[in-house]
Structures are given as structure tokens and as C-alpha cells.
């Protein structure tokens, strides 16, 4: 990825088979992102979520050596495993959980990223943000 900055515009260029360029006005690219206010319950839930995600990684890491070399990944209608994977597949679930946690955290901390189907009244923007989040 390449990008150029001029006085008026920022150009991002992704070199692919078909080159893609994205032109952003300089004001849009560097505008400040409004933060949402958090109450103590939100902070407690964020900390709890971080601890649970970290706990998943620690639990798997501490028991990884005890796992068999192949783990069942699919069971038939009779309850017997019919597909197996290497034990490294066990890391997929906490990684997906971490990615989801980060995406949801980003969207909830930057309310302007939420796409709502109507144009909100500027006087009631904070009300709509609380209602959506």
C-alpha cells in the first residue's frame, strides 16, 4: 500500500491486478474522532471481557501439551467423529473471540462508525448514540 499527502487530498494506492486508489479530503482523514462517555459498569464489563479473552489463551496454552495430536472437528448424526484436525485448530476460537471483541469495542467507542438508516437531528445526536449502543 502506498499513500501520498498533498495540501488538499490524501491518496491511498493498493497495488493489485487492478490498481485501486482512494482519495480522501485531508480534513476528513485527520479529523478528530469523538469518544463516547463510559460509566463504571461499561468499564467493569470491558475489563471482564479482557480477562475472559486472556483466560482463554492462558487455559489453552497451559493445556496444549496434553491435547492429542488430532482433534475431532465434526460429528455425524450418530455422535461419532467423522472429521479430524491438527491440535493447532484449538487456537481459532480464542483468536476469533479476540477479533470480535476488538471490532465491537472499536464500534462502541467510536459512535460515528455506526451506520444508522436515517439522518439524526443534530440536537439529539447523543440521544441516538445512547439508544443504538
Amino acid at each position: 500500500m502506498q499513500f501520498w499527502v498533498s495540501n488538499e487530498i490524501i491518496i491511498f494506492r493498493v497495488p493489485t491486478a487492478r490498481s485501486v486508489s482512494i482519495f480522501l479530503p485531508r480534513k476528513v482523514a485527520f479529523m478528530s474522532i469523538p469518544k463516547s462517555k463510559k460509566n463504571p459498569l461499561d468499564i467493569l464489563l470491558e475489563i471482564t471481557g479482557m480477562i475472559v479473552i486472556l483466560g482463554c489463551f492462558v487455559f489453552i496454552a497451559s493445556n496444549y501439551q496434553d491435547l492429542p495430536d488430532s482433534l475431532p472437528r465434526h460429528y455425524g448424526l450418530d455422535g461419532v467423529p467423522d472429521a479430524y484436525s491438527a491440535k493447532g485448530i484449538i487456537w481459532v476460537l480464542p483468536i476469533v473471540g479476540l477479533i470480535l471483541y476488538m471490532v465491537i469495542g472499536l464500534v462502541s467507542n467510536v459512535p460515528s462508525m455506526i451506520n444508522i438508516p436515517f439522518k439524526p437531528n443534530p440536537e439529539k445526536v447523543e440521544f441516538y448514540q445512547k439508544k443504538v449502543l
Side-chain angles (χ1 to χ4, degrees):
M1 175 188 278
Q2 302 169 336
F3 68 95
W4 297 272
V5 179
S6 71
N7 291 337
E8 298 295 322
I9 200 163
I10 297 176
I11 303 169
F12 292 94
R13 188 171 201 74
V14 181
T16 59
R18 294 181 181 166
S19 189
V20 177
S21 297
I22 301 171
F23 300 94
L24 292 175
R26 190 177 177 101
K27 291 179 182 177
V28 171
F30 293 110
M31 68 183 207
S32 62
I33 298 172
K35 291 274 186 172
S36 62
K37 296 176 184 173
K38 293 188 176 189
N39 61 28
L41 179 62
D42 291 338
I43 295 170
L44 177 68
L45 290 175
E46 292 236 2
I47 292 171
T48 304
M50 285 184 228
I51 290 171
V52 168
I53 296 284
L54 181 64
C56 289
F57 281 102
V58 169
F59 180 76
I60 290 173
S62 65
N63 294 312
Y64 191 74
Q65 296 299 326
D66 298 334
L67 291 173
D69 288 335
S70 64
L71 297 172
R73 65 179 171 134
H74 188 269
Y75 291 86
L77 292 176
D78 55 356
V80 177
D82 57 4
Y84 293 89
S85 291
K87 68 179 179 178
I89 198 75
I90 198 78
W91 292 104
V92 170
L93 189 60
I95 290 172
V96 169
L98 178 64
I99 291 169
L100 285 173
Y101 177 79
M102 290 179 359
V103 168
I104 292 171
L106 177 68
V107 170
S108 66
N109 287 326
V110 184
S112 61
M113 291 182 69
I114 298 173
N115 185 14
I116 52 178
F118 56 89
K119 187 129 180 128
N121 182 354
E123 298 169 358
K124 295 185 175 183
V125 169
E126 190 171 317
F127 169 75
Y128 290 128
Q129 289 173 349
K130 286 180 182 177
K131 193 165 188 93
V132 171
L133 296 175

